[in-house]
Amino acid sequence: MDERDALKISREIAVEVRKTIAAMPLKERAKDVGMGKDGTPTKAADRVAEEVALKVLEREKVTVVTEESGVVGEGDIFVALDPLDGTFNATRGVPVYSVSLCFSESEKLENAFFGYVYNLATGDEYYADSTGAYRNGEKIKVSDENSLYCNAIIYYPNKNYPFKRMRIFGSAATELCFFADGSFDCFIDIRPGGMLRIYDAAAGVFIAERAGGKVTEQDGSSLRNKKFDMQERLNIVAANEKLHGKLLELVR
């Protein structure tokens, strides 16, 4: 499998998941239907989105790490899948929820070769490959903001920060893409214990890096050795090269 195959597969999944979710009334989306492998309640929207995505991926020789079912398949290509990132938004009609896929040649993020995030509410498509990062087919790059008086996505502000604006949208995959395309100057999630799982962030991290962003842990360490594993946790500080060091000092 190469990046062209990954794009084709991702687009097929995005079309099918969007069609399925769009056909569900909000009350139906919000029903609890069990417990996911991640230990959190599964909503009906989560389950049907994953079923649709896995139906496509099961045709391929891949190992999928996904929110509800855990690890599925035994292929040489690893896929971090979040079929519905932003479930709260999806169940209430807030238009920020996505399907997210990251493809890697090993179980480590450092060997990722393709990332894909599709906003199921708006139809905005983000992806990254060896040539760069794209939104709706147009190449994107992170902002060049150098000041802490910037526009930040941050989970959760626990002190007075010097940011110009602070926002939370409830979908890490989509938010990392908002950083990647320059809509926001940084993305920060430093919740204690690491609340982000690999399938929440892998595709967004890959896209942000291909757009010129620097993405690390809170202490500045690399994410390269993060594994496509249900137990993996991440803290993230993402910004351009000029701003990143200032943010690390700020959040330490």
Side-chain angles (χ1 to χ4, degrees):
M1 181 186 295
D2 61 20
E3 56 196 27
R4 291 172 298 179
D5 298 322
L7 176 58
K8 182 179 178 180
I9 292 165
S10 298
R11 283 177 167 167
E12 181 179 356
I13 289 171
V15 168
E16 293 301 319
V17 172
R18 189 182 194 192
K19 181 171 61 178
T20 301
I21 296 299
M24 297 181 72
L26 293 181
K27 288 184 178 179
E28 189 69 25
R29 297 181 192 181
K31 289 181 178 178
D32 287 327
V33 294
M35 192 70 68
K37 292 292 186 180
D38 66 344
T40 62
T42 300
K43 300 295 184 182
D46 293 315
R47 175 167 290 178
V48 298
E50 185 176 89
E51 288 173 351
V52 168
L54 288 178
K55 187 175 181 180
V56 176
L57 287 169
E58 285 170 355
R59 302 199 304 253
E60 310 296 330
K61 294 181 179 180
V62 296
T63 298
V64 185
V65 180
T66 181
E67 184 172 13
E68 308 305 332
S69 297
V71 180
V72 179
E74 297 180 346
D76 293 333
I77 298 297
F78 286 74
V79 182
L81 166 69
D82 195 339
L84 187 58
D85 185 63
T87 302
F88 178 91
N89 294 341
T91 60
R92 287 158 177 80
V94 179
V96 186
Y97 51 96
S98 298
V99 57
S100 170
L101 302 102
C102 188
F103 294 74
S104 177
E105 294 176 341
S106 79
E107 64 176 0
K108 289 187 177 182
L109 186 57
E110 68 177 333
N111 296 122
F113 62 90
F114 186 79
Y116 186 89
V117 176
Y118 183 87
N119 188 328
L120 295 161
T122 66
D124 287 314
E125 177 190 68
Y126 295 85
Y127 71 86
D129 57 22
S130 60
T131 66
Y134 301 85
R135 176 186 178 183
N136 299 331
E138 298 291 328
K139 205 161 190 178
I140 57 175
K141 63 178 181 178
V142 300
S143 83
D144 61 359
E145 179 60 63
N146 192 32
S147 170
L148 288 173
Y149 187 63
C150 65
N151 300 311
I153 298 171
I154 178 169
Y155 288 79
Y156 291 105
N158 59 2
K159 64 179 182 179
N160 290 325
Y161 289 104
F163 302 134
K164 183 178 181 180
R165 295 182 182 87
M166 291 186 287
R167 299 288 187 269
I168 296 172
F169 296 96
S171 170
T174 317
E175 290 163 316
L176 280 161
C177 291
F178 290 164
F179 159 63
D181 71 11
S183 296
F184 283 81
D185 302 310
C186 61
F187 172 89
I188 301 168
D189 189 331
I190 54 173
R191 287 175 285 177
M195 297 299 291
L196 290 174
R197 294 179 185 263
I198 193 67
Y199 46 74
D200 295 319
V205 167
F206 185 83
I207 292 168
E209 290 181 337
R210 289 298 187 275
K214 185 171 184 179
V215 189
T216 70
E217 285 274 355
Q218 182 178 358
D219 62 3
S221 60
S222 173
L223 300 176
R224 292 175 61 81
N225 287 323
K226 294 294 183 181
K227 293 183 178 180
F228 285 30
D229 183 278
M230 290 298 292
Q231 307 308 315
E232 193 68 90
R233 298 288 191 281
L234 298 85
N235 287 126
I236 289 179
V237 177
N240 63 50
E241 288 278 355
K242 295 182 292 185
L243 186 57
H244 189 267
K246 296 178 181 180
L247 289 175
L248 291 182
E249 291 298 323
L250 185 67
V251 300
R252 279 174 179 163

